[in-house]
Amino acid sequence: MKVLATGFDPFGGESINPSWEAVRQLPDWIAGAEIRKARLRTAARAAEETIQTLMREEAPQIVLCVGQAGGRFGVTPERVALNLDDFRIPDNDGDQPVDTPIFEDGAPALFSNLPVKSMVQAIRIAGYPASLSDSAGTFVCNHVMYTILYHIAKEFPAMRGGFLHVPFVPSQVVERPSTPSMSLPDITAALEIAIAAAVAAYDGRQTGAPLS
Ligand code: PCA
């Protein structure tokens, strides 16, 4: 089995993006699955093209894209993506769509078909903060998540896909009092656990009781 994991380049004046820093440090194999890693540009059109090409060329069973959500506490698998671009800042290519559908023929929202609750539970059991998120925002991360789920619905019905947001790392909050952060090794460990839970679910293995 093959898992495609991606992170993003830095945006919004940051010098690092913990999503890519964590993804690049993942082992090459997790729970018997080969991990393919790629860095996406924090730019809607470029990232959309890259993820679409990777889904076609790599043909992974599971695709998990990861992004930074500064200010969040713990890692947050995303439940749903909206068919909407509404960027509060320009992306890294200077584009700033407002109230624009991503795909004209797409549903208003698409749900991740990854086992998001099992992923949250597995991460928490291992001792790292995690919770389910019901909003991936309306910026590039939501754009990429919607793109994945749109192509899964249209072209790759056997593929599982979704998105996971990670917090700032400590070096990013030095000048931001009272802002949560998580160390890079902890984010990386949590990601590895999330992927292992997704692989186990794909294989039909049980990963614990559902969240109450
Ligand atoms: N986070 C942004 C885009 C890239 C990233 O890492 C977001 O949440 O949309």
Side-chain angles (χ1 to χ4, degrees), residues 143-166:
H143 187 103
V144 165
M145 181 177 175
Y146 190 88
T147 299
I148 295 167
L149 298 176
Y150 176 88
H151 288 301
I152 286 177
K154 286 227 155 190
E155 280 179 65
F156 309 106
M159 205 182 284
R160 307 261 177 104
F163 202 94
L164 191 152
H165 268 116
V166 301

Side-chain angles (χ1 to χ4, degrees), residues 45-210:
R45 274 183 294 180
E48 179 183 323
E49 207 175 294
T50 306
I51 196 67
Q52 194 174 319
T53 303
L54 287 170
M55 286 170 79
R56 294 202 176 118
E57 288 180 357
E58 296 282 345
Q61 279 73 31
I62 294 173
V63 48
L64 178 67
C65 295
V66 183
Q68 163 196 303
R72 282 200 190 170
F73 181 85
V75 303
T76 51
E78 298 289 348
R79 192 202 300 263
V80 60
L82 301 181
N83 187 11
L84 177 72
D85 281 339
D86 191 22
F87 292 5
R88 85 195 140 74
I89 53 170
D91 69 18
N92 282 358
D93 283 339
D95 288 333
Q96 191 170 10
V98 172
D99 295 343
T100 310
I102 299 169
F103 289 96
E104 290 289 349
D105 64 344
L110 292 170
F111 290 104
S112 173
N113 61 359
L114 290 175
V116 285
K117 288 187 173 174
S118 301
M119 290 157 71
V120 168
Q121 190 185 40
I123 297 165
R124 293 174 70 116
I125 285 171
Y128 302 102
S131 58
L132 186 59
S133 168
D134 292 322
S135 175
T138 57
F139 190 46
V140 178
C141 290
N142 173 76
H143 187 103
V144 165
M145 181 177 175
Y146 190 88
T147 299
I148 295 167
L149 298 176
Y150 176 88
H151 288 301
I152 286 177
K154 286 227 155 190
E155 280 179 65
F156 309 106
M159 205 182 284
R160 307 261 177 104
F163 202 94
L164 191 152
H165 268 116
V166 301
F168 283 138
V169 290
S171 64
Q172 294 177 286
V173 301
V174 170
E175 304 291 343
R176 292 183 169 105
S178 308
T179 304
S181 67
M182 198 166 162
S183 77
L184 193 57
D186 284 2
I187 293 176
T188 309
L191 275 187
E192 184 172 349
I193 293 161
I195 290 171
V199 169
Y202 193 95
D203 282 347
R205 279 183 269 140
Q206 196 67 29
T207 53

